[in-house]
C-alpha cells in the first residue's frame, strides 16, 4: 500500500536480496543441524554466563556463517535461527543465519562463477552481518516499539552471542575441479589466511565466542567418488578417496594452527575448533553398526543425470528427482549433503565436546580460560 512503512526485517536486508538468491532458493539452507540442536540445548541449559569460569553459557543469540554443509533441523519445537535472506515477517530475536548454499571462503572469481558457486562468499556474509548489526543499533536509538524489539536481538547481545562457522569444503571442491591436487594443496594457505581475516573482522564487531568447524572427509562424498578414476591404491577401506581426504587433512591442519594463533592474538575471546572430519569419518567407518546402509550411497537423485536439487525436462514436462522411501537409512542425502539422520548423529558427537579443541561442550564454549 502506498505510504505504508515497510517491515523492519525487510528494511534490514532488502538491498541484499538478489536474483541469485531467488533462483537458487533450493540451494539456500538455514541453520545447520548441529547449531539448531545446540540452540535447543542453550534454552534447556542453565541461565549463567561466566566468561572466565565454568558452567553453562547464557547465549542470547547465535550468528551462523558458512555454506550448505548440513541440513535444516528443529528439536523440541524450540527457537531456531532465521535465514538472513528470508525477510518476510522474520524473527531475528535469537540471531540470524548468514550461510548460503555454495558459499566459499574466497571471494567469487570468473573460475568459481563458471563452476556454479554462490556469489555470497564469506566476506559478503560478513558485510551482511555488519549491515544487520548497524541497522539494529539504529532502530534501538530511534526508539522502536516493543513489538518490533521482540523480533530483534538487543545491541548488547552481539558481544554475548555464539558465532558459528562451517565453511571451506566448496573452496577445496573448486580447487579440485580447476587445478591439480598438488596445486589445490598449495592454495590452502591463502584460503586459511582469508578465513583468519574473517574471524578478526568479526572480533572487531564485538564477537567473543567462536565455534569453528573444520571440513569433512571430502573423499567420502558419493559424488566425488563417482567422479574420480577408480585406482585401487587411492581407495581406503571404506571406499573413500585417499588423496582427497589428504587434502582435507591439510586444510584442517592449517585451520587448527590458525585458530591457535587467533587465540593468542585475542586473549579476550574463546575459540573452539571442532573436528567435524573425525566425527563424520567415524560414522562412515562404522555405518552399519549405527543403522545406516552403504555409506557411499545416497537417497535423492542420480549422479549427473537427475540431481536432487535440480529439475530436468522430459517431453516438455519438468521432472523433479524422487527421493528414496527410507532417507534415515542413508548417511548422504543427495551425494553431497548429509542426511538429517546423519547430521543428528554427528551433532550428538559435536555438542558434547568429544571432537573439540578444547574438549568443551557447546553450552560451555564461552569460557576462554579453557582455550589458553
Amino acid at each position: 500500500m502506498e505510504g505504508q512503512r515497510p517491515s523492519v526485517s525487510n528494511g534490514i536486508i532488502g538491498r541484499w536480496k538478489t536474483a541469485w538468491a531467488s533462483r537458487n532458493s533450493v540451494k539456500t539452507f538455514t541453520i545447520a543441524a548441529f547449531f539448531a540442536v545446540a540452540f535447543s540445548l542453550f534454552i534447556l541449559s542453565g541461565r549463567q554466563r561466566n566468561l572466565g569460569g565454568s558452567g553453562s553459557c547464557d547465549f542470547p543469540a547465535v550468528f551462523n556463517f558458512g555454506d550448505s554443509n548440513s541440513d535444516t533441523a528443529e528439536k523440541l519445537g524450540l527457537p531456531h535461527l532465521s535465514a538472513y535472506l528470508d525477510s518476510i515477517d522474520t524473527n531475528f530475536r535469537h540471531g540470524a543465519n548468514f550461510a548460503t548454499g555454495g558459499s566459499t571462503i574466497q571471494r567469487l572469481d570468473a573460475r568459481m562463477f563458471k563452476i556454479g558457486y554462490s556469489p555470497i562468499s564469506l566476506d559478503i556474509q560478513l558485510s551482511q552481518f555488519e549491515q544487520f548489526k548497524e541497522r539494529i543499533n539504529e532502530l534501538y536509538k530511534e526508539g522502536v516499539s516493543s513489538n518490533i524489539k521482540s523480533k530483534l536481538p538487543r545491541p548488547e547481545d552481539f558481544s554475548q552471542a555464539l558465532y558459528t562457522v562451517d565453511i571451506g569444503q566448496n573452496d577445496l571442491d573448486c580447487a579440485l575441479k580447476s587445478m591439480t591436487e598438488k596445486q589445490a594443496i598449495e592454495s590452502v594457505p591463502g584460503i586459511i589466511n582469508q578465513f583468519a581475516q574473517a574471524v578478526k573482522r568479526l572480533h572487531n564487531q564485538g564477537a567473543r565466542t567462536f565455534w569453528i568447524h573444520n571440513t569433512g572427509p571430502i573423499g567420502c562424498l558419493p559424488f566425488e567418488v563417482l567422479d574420480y578414476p577408480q585406482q585401487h591404491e587411492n581407495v581406503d577401506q571404506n571406499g573413500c578417496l585417499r588423496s582427497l581426504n589428504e587434502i582435507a587433512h591439510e586444510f584442517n591442519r592449517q585451520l587448527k594452527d590458525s585458530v591457535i594463533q587467533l587465540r593468542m592474538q585475542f586473549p579476550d575471546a574463546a575459540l573452539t575448533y571442532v573436528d567435524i572430519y573425525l566425527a563424520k569419518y567415524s560414522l562412515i567407518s562404522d555405518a552399519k553398526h549405527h543403522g545406516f546402509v552403504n555409506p557411499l550411497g545416497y537417497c535423492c537423485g542420480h549422479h549427473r543425470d537427475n540431481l536432487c536439487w535440480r529439475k530436468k525436462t522430459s517431453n516438455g514436462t519438468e521432472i523433479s528427482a524422487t527421493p528414496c522411501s527410507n532417507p534415515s537409512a542413508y548417511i548422504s542425502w543427495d551425494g553431497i549433503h548429509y542426511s538429517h539422520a546423519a547430521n543428528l548423529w554427528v551433532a550428538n558427537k559435536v555438542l558434547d565436546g568429544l571432537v573439540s579443541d578444547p574438549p568443551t561442550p557447546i553450552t560451555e564454549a564461552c569460557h576462554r580460560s579453557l582455550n589458553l
Side-chain angles (χ1 to χ4, degrees), residues 35 38-39 42 47-51 57-65 81 92-98 129 132-133 136 152-165 199 202-203 205-212 268-272 362-368 371:
F35 305 138
F39 191 77
F42 301 154
R47 308 297 295 173
Q48 174 183 340
R49 181 175 179 82
N50 180 7
L51 282 176
C57 306
D58 180 16
F59 294 112
V62 180
F63 296 102
N64 181 56
F65 304 85
L81 295 190
F92 293 115
R93 178 65 188 87
H94 298 291
N97 181 29
F98 295 87
F129 169 76
F132 176 81
K133 181 185 175 187
I136 295 297
L152 302 174
R154 299 164 300 180
E156 62 267 27
D157 290 344
F158 289 95
S159 62
Q160 299 178 0
L162 176 68
Y163 291 78
T164 56
V165 190
V199 173
L202 283 172
H203 184 271
Q205 287 292 321
R208 291 298 180 267
T209 304
F210 298 86
W211 185 263
I212 299 171
D268 61 340
L271 294 95
T272 302
I362 194 170
T363 51
E364 300 177 13
C366 63
H367 303 308
R368 62 175 179 262
N371 291 331

Coordinates of all heavy atoms in Angstrom, one line a residue, residues 35 38-39 42 47-51 57-65 81 92-98 129 132-133 136 152-165 199 202-203 205-212 268-272 362-368 371:
F35 N 23.8 -26.7 14.9 CA 23.5 -25.4 15.5 C 22.1 -25.3 16.0 O 21.8 -24.7 17.0 CB 23.9 -24.3 14.6 CG 25.3 -24.4 14.1 CD1 25.6 -24.1 12.7 CD2 26.3 -24.7 14.9 CE1 26.8 -24.2 12.3 CE2 27.6 -24.8 14.4 CZ 27.9 -24.5 13.1
A38 N 22.0 -27.4 19.0 CA 22.8 -26.8 20.0 C 21.9 -25.6 20.7 O 22.0 -25.5 21.9 CB 24.0 -26.2 19.4
F39 N 21.2 -24.9 19.8 CA 20.5 -23.8 20.4 C 19.4 -24.3 21.3 O 19.0 -23.7 22.3 CB 19.8 -23.0 19.3 CG 19.2 -21.7 19.8 CD1 20.1 -20.6 20.1 CD2 17.9 -21.6 20.0 CE1 19.5 -19.4 20.6 CE2 17.3 -20.4 20.5 CZ 18.2 -19.3 20.8
F42 N 20.9 -24.7 24.5 CA 21.1 -23.4 25.2 C 19.9 -23.1 26.1 O 19.9 -22.6 27.2 CB 21.3 -22.3 24.3 CG 22.5 -22.5 23.4 CD1 22.6 -21.8 22.1 CD2 23.6 -23.2 23.8 CE1 23.7 -22.0 21.3 CE2 24.7 -23.4 22.9 CZ 24.7 -22.8 21.7
R47 N 21.0 -20.7 33.1 CA 20.9 -19.3 32.6 C 22.1 -18.5 33.2 O 22.0 -17.5 33.8 CB 19.6 -18.7 33.0 CG 18.4 -19.4 32.6 CD 18.3 -19.6 31.1 NE 18.1 -18.3 30.5 CZ 18.1 -18.1 29.2 NH1 18.3 -19.1 28.4 NH2 17.9 -16.9 28.7
Q48 N 23.3 -19.1 33.0 CA 24.5 -18.5 33.7 C 25.5 -18.1 32.6 O 25.7 -18.9 31.7 CB 25.1 -19.5 34.6 CG 26.5 -19.0 35.2 CD 27.1 -20.0 36.1 OE1 26.4 -20.9 36.6 NE2 28.3 -20.0 36.3
R49 N 26.2 -17.0 32.7 CA 27.2 -16.6 31.8 C 28.4 -16.1 32.6 O 28.3 -15.2 33.3 CB 26.8 -15.5 30.8 CG 27.9 -15.1 29.8 CD 27.4 -14.1 28.8 NE 28.5 -13.8 27.9 CZ 28.9 -14.5 26.9 NH1 28.2 -15.6 26.6 NH2 29.8 -14.1 26.1
N50 N 29.5 -16.8 32.5 CA 30.7 -16.6 33.3 C 31.9 -16.8 32.4 O 32.4 -17.9 32.3 CB 30.8 -17.4 34.5 CG 32.0 -17.2 35.3 OD1 32.7 -16.3 35.1 ND2 32.2 -18.0 36.4
L51 N 32.4 -15.8 31.7 CA 33.4 -15.9 30.7 C 34.7 -16.6 31.2 O 35.4 -17.3 30.5 CB 33.8 -14.6 30.1 CG 32.8 -14.0 29.1 CD1 33.2 -12.7 28.6 CD2 32.7 -15.0 27.9
C57 N 26.8 -21.5 29.5 CA 26.8 -20.1 29.0 C 25.4 -19.7 28.6 O 24.6 -20.6 28.2 CB 27.7 -20.0 27.8 SG 29.4 -20.5 28.0
D58 N 25.1 -18.5 28.9 CA 23.7 -18.0 28.5 C 23.9 -17.2 27.2 O 24.0 -16.0 27.2 CB 23.2 -17.1 29.6 CG 21.8 -16.6 29.3 OD1 21.2 -17.1 28.4 OD2 21.4 -15.6 30.0
F59 N 23.8 -17.9 26.1 CA 23.9 -17.2 24.8 C 22.6 -16.6 24.4 O 21.6 -17.4 24.2 CB 24.4 -18.2 23.7 CG 25.8 -18.7 23.9 CD1 26.0 -20.1 24.2 CD2 26.9 -17.9 23.8 CE1 27.3 -20.5 24.3 CE2 28.2 -18.4 23.9 CZ 28.4 -19.7 24.2
P60 N 22.5 -15.3 24.3 CA 21.2 -14.7 23.9 C 20.9 -14.9 22.4 O 19.8 -14.7 22.0 CB 21.4 -13.3 24.3 CG 22.9 -13.0 24.2 CD 23.5 -14.3 24.6
A61 N 21.9 -15.2 21.6 CA 21.8 -15.3 20.2 C 22.9 -16.1 19.6 O 23.9 -16.3 20.2 CB 21.7 -13.9 19.6
V62 N 22.6 -16.6 18.4 CA 23.6 -17.3 17.6 C 23.6 -16.7 16.2 O 22.6 -16.5 15.6 CB 23.2 -18.8 17.5 CG1 24.3 -19.6 16.7 CG2 23.1 -19.5 18.9
F63 N 24.8 -16.5 15.7 CA 25.0 -16.0 14.4 C 25.9 -17.0 13.6 O 27.0 -17.3 14.0 CB 25.7 -14.6 14.4 CG 24.8 -13.6 15.0 CD1 25.1 -13.1 16.3 CD2 23.7 -13.0 14.4 CE1 24.3 -12.2 17.0 CE2 22.9 -12.1 15.0 CZ 23.2 -11.7 16.3
N64 N 25.3 -17.5 12.5 CA 25.9 -18.6 11.8 C 26.4 -18.1 10.4 O 25.7 -17.4 9.7 CB 25.0 -19.8 11.6 CG 25.6 -20.9 10.9 OD1 26.7 -21.4 11.2 ND2 25.0 -21.3 9.8
F65 N 27.6 -18.6 10.0 CA 28.2 -18.2 8.7 C 28.7 -19.5 8.1 O 29.2 -20.4 8.7 CB 29.4 -17.2 8.9 CG 29.0 -16.0 9.7 CD1 29.0 -16.0 11.1 CD2 28.6 -14.8 9.0 CE1 28.6 -14.8 11.8 CE2 28.2 -13.7 9.7 CZ 28.2 -13.7 11.1
L81 N 17.3 -20.6 14.2 CA 17.8 -19.4 13.5 C 17.0 -19.1 12.2 O 16.8 -20.0 11.4 CB 19.3 -19.4 13.2 CG 20.2 -19.5 14.4 CD1 21.6 -19.3 13.9 CD2 19.9 -18.4 15.4
F92 N 14.3 -12.3 14.2 CA 15.7 -12.4 14.4 C 16.1 -12.3 15.9 O 17.3 -12.1 16.2 CB 16.5 -11.3 13.6 CG 16.4 -11.5 12.1 CD1 15.7 -10.5 11.4 CD2 16.9 -12.5 11.5 CE1 15.6 -10.6 10.0 CE2 16.9 -12.7 10.1 CZ 16.2 -11.7 9.4
R93 N 15.2 -12.5 16.8 CA 15.4 -12.3 18.2 C 16.6 -13.1 18.7 O 17.4 -12.7 19.6 CB 14.2 -12.6 19.0 CG 14.3 -12.5 20.5 CD 14.6 -11.0 20.9 NE 14.9 -10.8 22.3 CZ 16.1 -10.9 22.8 NH1 17.2 -11.2 22.0 NH2 16.4 -10.8 24.1
H94 N 16.7 -14.3 18.3 CA 17.7 -15.2 18.8 C 18.9 -15.4 17.8 O 19.7 -16.3 17.9 CB 17.2 -16.6 19.1 CG 16.1 -16.6 20.1 ND1 16.3 -16.3 21.4 CD2 14.7 -16.7 20.0 CE1 15.2 -16.4 22.1 NE2 14.2 -16.6 21.3
G95 N 19.1 -14.4 16.9 CA 20.2 -14.4 16.0 C 19.8 -14.6 14.5 O 18.6 -14.4 14.2
A96 N 20.7 -14.9 13.7 CA 20.4 -15.0 12.2 C 21.4 -15.9 11.6 O 22.6 -16.1 12.0 CB 20.5 -13.6 11.6
N97 N 21.0 -16.5 10.5 CA 21.8 -17.4 9.7 C 22.2 -16.7 8.4 O 21.4 -16.5 7.6 CB 21.1 -18.7 9.4 CG 21.9 -19.7 8.6 OD1 23.2 -19.7 8.8 ND2 21.3 -20.5 7.9
F98 N 23.5 -16.5 8.3 CA 24.0 -15.8 7.1 C 24.6 -16.8 6.0 O 25.0 -16.4 5.0 CB 25.1 -14.8 7.4 CG 24.6 -13.7 8.3 CD1 24.5 -13.8 9.7 CD2 24.1 -12.5 7.7 CE1 24.0 -12.8 10.5 CE2 23.6 -11.5 8.5 CZ 23.5 -11.6 9.9
F129 N 26.2 -9.1 7.8 CA 26.2 -9.1 9.3 C 26.4 -7.7 9.8 O 25.7 -7.2 10.7 CB 27.2 -10.1 9.9 CG 27.4 -9.9 11.4 CD1 26.4 -10.4 12.3 CD2 28.5 -9.2 11.9 CE1 26.6 -10.2 13.6 CE2 28.7 -9.1 13.2 CZ 27.7 -9.5 14.1
F132 N 23.5 -5.6 9.2 CA 22.4 -6.0 10.1 C 22.6 -5.4 11.5 O 21.7 -4.9 12.1 CB 22.4 -7.6 10.1 CG 21.5 -8.2 11.1 CD1 20.1 -8.4 10.8 CD2 21.9 -8.6 12.4 CE1 19.2 -8.9 11.7 CE2 21.0 -9.2 13.3 CZ 19.7 -9.4 12.9
K133 N 23.8 -5.6 12.0 CA 24.1 -5.0 13.3 C 23.9 -3.5 13.4 O 23.4 -3.0 14.3 CB 25.5 -5.4 13.7 CG 25.9 -4.9 15.1 CD 27.4 -5.2 15.4 CE 27.8 -4.6 16.8 NZ 29.2 -4.7 17.0
I136 N 20.3 -2.7 13.5 CA 19.7 -3.0 14.8 C 20.0 -1.8 15.7 O 19.1 -1.3 16.5 CB 20.2 -4.3 15.3 CG1 19.8 -5.5 14.5 CG2 19.8 -4.5 16.8 CD1 18.3 -5.7 14.4
L152 N 13.9 -8.7 17.4 CA 15.3 -8.3 17.1 C 16.2 -8.6 18.2 O 15.8 -8.5 19.4 CB 15.3 -6.8 16.8 CG 14.5 -6.3 15.6 CD1 14.6 -4.7 15.5 CD2 14.9 -6.9 14.3
P153 N 17.5 -8.9 18.0 CA 18.4 -9.0 19.1 C 18.7 -7.7 19.7 O 18.5 -6.6 19.0 CB 19.7 -9.6 18.4 CG 19.5 -9.1 17.0 CD 18.1 -9.1 16.7
R154 N 19.0 -7.6 20.9 CA 19.4 -6.4 21.6 C 20.8 -6.0 21.2 O 21.6 -6.9 21.0 CB 19.3 -6.5 23.1 CG 17.8 -6.8 23.6 CD 17.9 -7.3 25.0 NE 18.7 -8.6 25.1 CZ 18.9 -9.2 26.3 NH1 18.3 -8.8 27.4 NH2 19.6 -10.3 26.3
P155 N 21.2 -4.7 21.2 CA 22.6 -4.3 20.9 C 23.6 -5.0 21.7 O 24.7 -5.4 21.2 CB 22.6 -2.8 21.1 CG 21.1 -2.4 20.8 CD 20.3 -3.5 21.4
E156 N 23.3 -5.3 23.0 CA 24.3 -5.9 23.8 C 24.4 -7.4 23.6 O 25.4 -8.1 24.0 CB 23.9 -5.7 25.3 CG 22.6 -6.3 25.8 CD 21.5 -5.3 25.7 OE1 21.6 -4.3 24.8 OE2 20.5 -5.4 26.4
D157 N 23.5 -8.0 22.8 CA 23.5 -9.4 22.5 C 24.7 -9.8 21.6 O 25.1 -10.9 21.6 CB 22.2 -9.9 21.9 CG 21.0 -9.9 22.9 OD1 21.3 -9.8 24.1 OD2 19.9 -9.9 22.4
F158 N 25.1 -8.8 20.8 CA 26.1 -9.2 19.8 C 27.5 -9.6 20.5 O 28.2 -10.5 20.0 CB 26.3 -8.0 18.9 CG 25.2 -7.8 17.9 CD1 24.2 -6.9 18.2 CD2 25.1 -8.5 16.7 CE1 23.1 -6.7 17.4 CE2 24.0 -8.3 15.9 CZ 23.0 -7.4 16.2
S159 N 27.8 -9.0 21.6 CA 29.1 -9.3 22.2 C 28.9 -10.6 23.1 O 29.9 -11.2 23.5 CB 29.6 -8.2 23.1 OG 28.6 -7.9 24.1
Q160 N 27.7 -11.0 23.4 CA 27.5 -12.2 24.2 C 27.0 -13.4 23.4 O 26.8 -14.5 24.0 CB 26.4 -11.9 25.3 CG 26.8 -10.7 26.2 CD 25.8 -10.4 27.2 OE1 24.7 -11.0 27.2 NE2 26.0 -9.4 28.1
A161 N 26.9 -13.2 22.1 CA 26.3 -14.3 21.3 C 27.4 -15.4 20.9 O 28.6 -15.2 21.1 CB 25.8 -13.7 20.0
L162 N 26.9 -16.5 20.4 CA 27.8 -17.5 19.9 C 27.9 -17.3 18.4 O 26.9 -17.2 17.7 CB 27.2 -18.9 20.2 CG 28.0 -20.1 19.6 CD1 29.4 -20.2 20.3 CD2 27.2 -21.4 19.8
Y163 N 29.1 -17.3 17.8 CA 29.4 -17.2 16.4 C 29.9 -18.5 15.9 O 31.0 -19.0 16.2 CB 30.4 -16.1 16.2 CG 29.8 -14.7 16.5 CD1 29.7 -14.3 17.8 CD2 29.3 -13.9 15.5 CE1 29.2 -13.0 18.1 CE2 28.8 -12.6 15.8 CZ 28.7 -12.2 17.1 OH 28.2 -11.0 17.4
T164 N 29.1 -19.2 15.0 CA 29.4 -20.5 14.5 C 29.8 -20.3 13.0 O 29.2 -19.6 12.2 CB 28.2 -21.4 14.6 OG1 27.1 -20.8 14.0 CG2 27.9 -21.7 16.1
V165 N 30.8 -21.1 12.6 CA 31.3 -21.0 11.2 C 31.6 -22.4 10.7 O 32.3 -23.2 11.3 CB 32.6 -20.2 11.1 CG1 33.0 -19.9 9.7 CG2 32.5 -18.8 11.9
V199 N 37.6 -14.0 10.8 CA 37.4 -14.1 12.3 C 37.9 -12.7 12.9 O 37.2 -12.2 13.9 CB 38.3 -15.2 12.9 CG1 38.3 -15.2 14.4 CG2 37.7 -16.6 12.3
L202 N 35.1 -10.2 12.5 CA 34.0 -10.5 13.5 C 34.4 -10.0 14.9 O 33.6 -9.4 15.6 CB 33.6 -11.9 13.5 CG 32.8 -12.4 12.3 CD1 32.6 -14.0 12.4 CD2 31.4 -11.8 12.4
H203 N 35.6 -10.3 15.3 CA 36.1 -9.8 16.6 C 36.1 -8.3 16.7 O 35.7 -7.8 17.7 CB 37.6 -10.3 16.8 CG 38.1 -10.0 18.1 ND1 38.8 -8.8 18.4 CD2 38.1 -10.7 19.3 CE1 39.1 -8.8 19.7 NE2 38.7 -9.9 20.3
Q205 N 33.9 -6.5 15.4 CA 32.5 -6.2 15.6 C 32.0 -6.6 17.0 O 30.8 -6.4 17.2 CB 31.7 -6.9 14.5 CG 31.8 -6.3 13.1 CD 31.2 -4.9 13.0 OE1 30.2 -4.6 13.6 NE2 31.9 -4.0 12.3
G206 N 32.8 -7.1 17.8 CA 32.4 -7.4 19.2 C 32.2 -8.9 19.4 O 31.9 -9.3 20.6
A207 N 32.4 -9.8 18.4 CA 32.3 -11.2 18.6 C 33.4 -11.7 19.6 O 34.5 -11.3 19.4 CB 32.3 -11.9 17.3
R208 N 33.0 -12.6 20.5 CA 33.9 -13.1 21.5 C 33.9 -14.6 21.7 O 34.8 -15.2 22.2 CB 33.7 -12.4 22.9 CG 34.1 -10.9 22.9 CD 35.5 -10.7 22.6 NE 35.9 -9.3 22.6 CZ 35.9 -8.5 21.5 NH1 35.6 -9.0 20.4 NH2 36.3 -7.2 21.6
T209 N 32.9 -15.2 21.2 CA 32.8 -16.7 21.4 C 32.6 -17.3 20.0 O 31.6 -17.1 19.3 CB 31.6 -17.1 22.3 OG1 31.8 -16.5 23.6 CG2 31.6 -18.6 22.5
F210 N 33.6 -18.1 19.6 CA 33.5 -18.7 18.2 C 33.5 -20.2 18.3 O 34.2 -20.8 19.1 CB 34.8 -18.3 17.4 CG 34.9 -16.8 17.2 CD1 35.5 -16.0 18.2 CD2 34.4 -16.2 16.0 CE1 35.6 -14.6 17.9 CE2 34.5 -14.9 15.8 CZ 35.1 -14.1 16.8
W211 N 32.7 -20.9 17.5 CA 32.6 -22.3 17.4 C 32.9 -22.6 15.9 O 32.1 -22.4 15.0 CB 31.2 -22.8 17.8 CG 31.0 -24.2 17.8 CD1 30.4 -25.0 16.9 CD2 31.2 -25.1 19.0 NE1 30.3 -26.3 17.3 CE2 30.8 -26.4 18.6 CE3 31.8 -24.9 20.2 CZ2 30.9 -27.5 19.4 CZ3 31.9 -26.0 21.1 CH2 31.4 -27.3 20.7
I212 N 34.1 -23.1 15.6 CA 34.6 -23.2 14.3 C 34.8 -24.7 13.9 O 35.5 -25.5 14.5 CB 36.0 -22.5 14.2 CG1 35.8 -21.0 14.5 CG2 36.6 -22.7 12.8 CD1 37.2 -20.3 14.6
D268 N 41.0 -12.2 24.8 CA 39.6 -11.9 25.4 C 38.5 -12.7 24.7 O 37.3 -12.5 25.0 CB 39.3 -10.4 25.2 CG 39.3 -9.9 23.8 OD1 39.9 -10.7 22.9 OD2 38.7 -8.9 23.5
A269 N 38.9 -13.6 23.7 CA 37.9 -14.4 23.0 C 38.1 -15.9 23.3 O 39.2 -16.3 23.7 CB 38.1 -14.1 21.5
A270 N 37.0 -16.6 23.1 CA 37.0 -18.1 23.3 C 36.8 -18.7 21.9 O 35.7 -18.5 21.3 CB 35.9 -18.5 24.2
L271 N 37.8 -19.4 21.4 CA 37.7 -20.1 20.1 C 37.8 -21.6 20.2 O 38.8 -22.1 20.7 CB 38.8 -19.6 19.1 CG 38.8 -18.1 18.8 CD1 39.7 -17.3 19.7 CD2 39.2 -17.9 17.3
T272 N 36.7 -22.3 19.8 CA 36.7 -23.7 19.9 C 36.8 -24.3 18.5 O 36.0 -23.9 17.6 CB 35.4 -24.2 20.5 OG1 35.3 -23.7 21.8 CG2 35.4 -25.7 20.6
I362 N 29.4 -27.4 23.7 CA 29.0 -26.2 23.1 C 28.3 -25.2 24.1 O 28.4 -24.0 24.0 CB 28.1 -26.4 21.8 CG1 28.0 -25.1 21.0 CG2 26.7 -27.0 22.2 CD1 27.3 -25.4 19.7
T363 N 27.6 -25.8 25.1 CA 27.0 -25.0 26.1 C 27.9 -24.3 27.0 O 27.5 -23.4 27.8 CB 26.0 -25.8 26.9 OG1 26.7 -27.0 27.4 CG2 24.8 -26.3 26.1
E364 N 29.2 -24.6 26.9 CA 30.2 -24.0 27.8 C 31.3 -23.3 26.9 O 32.4 -23.0 27.4 CB 30.9 -25.0 28.7 CG 29.9 -25.7 29.7 CD 30.5 -26.8 30.5 OE1 31.7 -26.8 30.6 OE2 29.7 -27.5 31.2
A365 N 31.0 -23.1 25.7 CA 32.0 -22.6 24.7 C 32.5 -21.1 25.0 O 33.5 -20.7 24.5 CB 31.5 -22.6 23.3
C366 N 31.8 -20.4 25.9 CA 32.2 -19.0 26.2 C 33.4 -18.9 27.2 O 33.9 -17.8 27.4 CB 31.0 -18.3 26.8 SG 30.4 -18.9 28.4
H367 N 33.8 -20.0 27.7 CA 34.8 -20.0 28.8 C 36.2 -20.0 28.2 O 36.8 -21.0 27.9 CB 34.7 -21.2 29.7 CG 33.3 -21.2 30.4 ND1 32.8 -20.2 31.0 CD2 32.4 -22.2 30.4 CE1 31.6 -20.5 31.5 NE2 31.3 -21.8 31.1
R368 N 36.8 -18.8 28.0 CA 38.0 -18.6 27.3 C 39.2 -19.1 28.1 O 40.2 -19.4 27.5 CB 38.3 -17.1 27.0 CG 38.4 -16.2 28.2 CD 38.7 -14.8 27.8 NE 38.8 -13.9 29.0 CZ 37.8 -13.1 29.3 NH1 36.7 -13.1 28.6 NH2 38.0 -12.3 30.4
N371 N 40.8 -22.1 26.7 CA 41.5 -22.0 25.4 C 42.9 -21.6 25.6 O 43.6 -21.5 24.6 CB 40.7 -21.0 24.5 CG 39.4 -21.5 24.1 OD1 39.1 -22.7 24.0 ND2 38.5 -20.5 23.9

